[in-house]
Structure formats: C-alpha cells, structure tokens
Amino acid sequence: MPYLKIRVDEIREQGLTLSAQEQIADYPALLAVQKAGECQFLAPLEISLTIIREYDHIRASGEVGTSVRLACSRCLAVYDAAISSAFTIFYTKASAAVQLDEEVELAEQDLVSATYAGDEIDFAPEIAEQVALEIPFKPLCKEDCQGLCAVCGVDLNAATCGCEKQESSLKFNALQGYKVDR
Ligand SMILES: [Zn+2]
Ligand SMILES: [Zn+2]
C-alpha cells in the first residue's frame, strides 16, 4: 500500500486502527532528506495509526519508526540509529471555518493540525513530516563525542595529539561543522 489514504466516511467514532509498513521510495519528502545527505534510510517506515472521528475533526494518533545511517557532526564517524516519533494530528475539513481560539489551543499543546479536502485523507505527508523532524540536525555518534582536532584532524575519541588547543580554533571548527550540516 503505497499511500495511507482513507475514505473519511469509513472513519467512525469508535475509530479505525491500522498498521502499515511503508517504503521510503514512496515518500518524496523523505527521499529529499536522503538526497540532501542528512541521513540514509535503512528500513521501511513502521507505522501504527488510530484514526477517530471527533466533533468537527478527525484525530490521527500513532507512532512511526525506522532506522537511519547518520554521520557524526563532530568526528564524521558513520553510525546507525533507530528513530521513532509518537504523534497526534488533527484534521479539519478545509472548507470548515476554524475558530481562532481553537487554533491557539492546538498550538499551545504542540499538536499538529492539518486540513483535508474531498472524500479522503492521505495521512502520508504529515507522517513523513514527523519522521523528517526526528532526523537530528547535528547528529552525534555519542553524547560526549570529542570530535576531530581542529589543527591536525586526528579523531580525539581514539587518540590524543600534541596540538595546542586554542579556544578560537575550536570555535572555528564548530562553525565549520555547522556549515557542513546544512
Ligand atoms: Zn562523533
Ligand atoms: Zn591535533
């Protein structure tokens, strides 16, 4: 099943639960993340989803997980990591007027709100967005990674070097790391 499209009239108040394994190749947004060099996806998306009709909206909550290969932003070591996200997304019909105070409330709860038009909802784009948000902006192979020496380039996790450590060069290195990430 390439897309998580559900007909709205099939969603009842008691809810609809589904689990799916989705191929990264079917998710252009994730392929773009991979193409940008931020990570390499190693496994399909494992998705579990509960969809419930509530008042004037559809609530989709669930979890999505996969595993990715990342490059440490400090020492450049390649490592694999599992990523997962638990999410709740509220879908309101695009034509329905959304009251302002309701929008504010959603923002305060840090929940995702989306709209749909027509007879079905494609849950794939928002789920892909949840995965993309979990890809670390500055990946670290470990919390206390020592990085590379800014002077001689030695991996300070594995070796020490005699280089004189100057704070300015460390800062410069951090700045360079920042650029490489983008
Ligand atoms: Zn590292
Ligand atoms: Zn050095």
Side-chain angles (χ1 to χ4, degrees):
M1 186 169 75
Y3 296 107
L4 292 167
K5 279 187 184 165
I6 309 285
R7 287 188 56 83
V8 174
D9 59 14
E10 284 172 10
I11 303 168
R12 310 262 174 244
E13 263 143 42
Q14 61 267 36
L16 184 71
T17 300
L18 61 97
S19 57
Q21 190 181 71
E22 295 276 280
Q23 299 302 317
I24 302 297
D26 292 323
Y27 287 74
L30 298 181
L31 287 177
V33 168
Q34 184 163 266
K35 208 175 167 195
E38 290 179 42
C39 74
Q40 183 189 340
F41 289 96
L42 303 175
L45 301 181
E46 300 287 348
I47 299 166
S48 62
L49 195 58
T50 299
I51 307 162
I52 300 172
R53 181 187 293 276
E54 278 181 334
Y55 316 112
D56 59 342
H57 60 258
I58 307 287
R59 175 216 286 256
S61 54
E63 279 186 34
V64 56
T66 184
S67 64
V68 291
R69 183 156 291 165
L70 299 162
C72 178
S73 59
R74 284 187 198 155
C75 74
L76 311 179
V78 170
Y79 67 102
D80 298 345
I83 60 168
S84 68
S85 171
F87 55 85
T88 298
I89 308 167
F90 291 97
Y91 291 83
T92 28
K93 204 167 170 69
S95 59
V98 179
Q99 286 172 5
L100 192 63
D101 58 347
E102 192 182 354
E103 273 190 313
V104 170
E105 201 178 308
L106 290 179
E108 279 172 357
Q109 288 173 31
D110 200 24
L111 299 169
V112 182
S113 64
T115 55
Y116 69 93
D119 297 333
E120 55 184 18
I121 302 178
D122 182 1
F123 294 94
E126 275 77 29
I127 290 175
E129 178 68 24
Q130 297 306 305
V131 174
L133 287 172
E134 291 297 319
I135 309 295
F137 181 61
K138 293 198 74 161
L140 288 179
C141 64
K142 55 188 177 194
E143 201 70 34
D144 61 346
C145 173
Q146 300 300 303
L148 304 179
C149 171
V151 182
C152 72
V154 79
D155 183 352
L156 297 172
N157 296 304
T160 51
C161 61
C163 299
E164 203 174 316
K165 298 291 182 297
Q166 292 177 347
E167 207 177 319
S168 59
S169 67
L170 285 174
K171 268 185 190 158
F172 182 63
N173 192 39
L175 209 63
Q176 279 189 319
Y178 182 75
K179 274 185 182 166
V180 168
D181 283 348
R182 289 172 69 91

